[in-house]
Each structure stands twice: as structure tokens, then as C-alpha cells.
Amino acid sequence: VQLQASGGGLVQAGGSLRLSCAASGNIFSIYNMSWYRQAPGKKRELVATITRGGNTNYADSVKGRFTISRDNAKNTVYLQMNSLKPEDTAVYYCNADLRTSVVSALTAYWGQGTLVTVSS
């Protein structure tokens, strides 16, 4: 199983970016999909989560600015980031809780990370 994240880059404060993360490989079913981020010198933090049914949860710091969504047919999760701030600068990682078969354990898989840099 591989998670391939894309969409990071350099943007000015107030701008927008859209991250994507596609899961591929031997996948039976994907449950929660999430985005995390890690800024330099800081711990990795949860940004947003979306369940298979579409329920979402956000960190307080991004509520009202970021939107997580998913396309179950494409095994892909998105993060639309608007009104970006310099403090949003971080490496963003996608995460998927999934099973590779009907009897396999629920396992967390991670993408490789994509860098988002917000200039002031």
C-alpha cells in the first residue's frame, strides 16, 4: 500500500492551496483518512480527519479555513487550505486507516509528506 501526497508549495499569506493524497495497492477498505502536519522543531499534529461516511473533524487552528474531503471511488483525500497564514508552514502528511483484506487488522499508513510554505 502506498499513499502519494501532492499539492504543496510556496504561497503568500492569504492565499490558497489544495493538497491531494491517493492511496494505491492492495486495499480492501479505507476507514478514516486524515491530514497531519509538522512544523520545524514541533511535534506532528492532527489537522483534520474525515470518516468513510464523510463526517469531519478539525483542529481549532484551521477551523473555518481548511476543508477536508474524500473521493472513496478514487481512494483519495483532499485538503483545501484557504486564508493561509505563515504559522501554517509545515510538512503535511496524509494518513489512512485501512484493511488490506476482510480479515486483516486495521492499520495506519502514511504518505511521504508535502511541504507547504506560507510567506508573510
Side-chain angles (χ1 to χ4, degrees):
V1 176
Q2 288 187 328
L3 272 63
Q4 183 67 45
S6 62
L10 173 63
V11 63
Q12 288 188 331
S16 299
L17 281 175
R18 188 190 193 212
L19 306 183
S20 299
C21 177
S24 62
N26 186 27
I27 298 170
F28 174 74
S29 185
I30 302 178
Y31 297 85
N32 290 355
M33 302 185 83
S34 303
W35 288 96
Y36 288 73
R37 67 185 181 187
Q38 187 167 17
K42 295 188 176 182
K43 293 182 179 180
R44 188 174 298 189
E45 64 173 354
L46 177 63
V47 175
T49 296
I50 185 167
T51 68
R52 183 169 181 82
N55 293 320
T56 59
N57 190 45
Y58 297 91
D60 288 343
S61 59
V62 306
K63 281 182 182 176
R65 301 188 297 123
F66 291 10
T67 302
I68 189 170
S69 61
R70 66 190 283 175
D71 184 333
N72 291 331
K74 295 181 179 180
N75 290 337
T76 300
V77 62
Y78 306 95
L79 186 67
Q80 178 66 44
M81 304 185 293
N82 299 329
S83 302
L84 282 161
K85 304 175 181 180
E87 51 264 43
D88 295 318
T89 295
V91 177
Y92 284 71
Y93 298 90
C94 56
N95 168 280
D97 296 326
L98 61 89
R99 298 183 191 276
T100 56
S101 74
V102 66
V103 297
S104 70
L106 189 64
T107 304
Y109 288 83
W110 292 88
Q112 83 285 7
T114 184
L115 177 62
V116 172
T117 303
V118 184
S119 62
S120 57

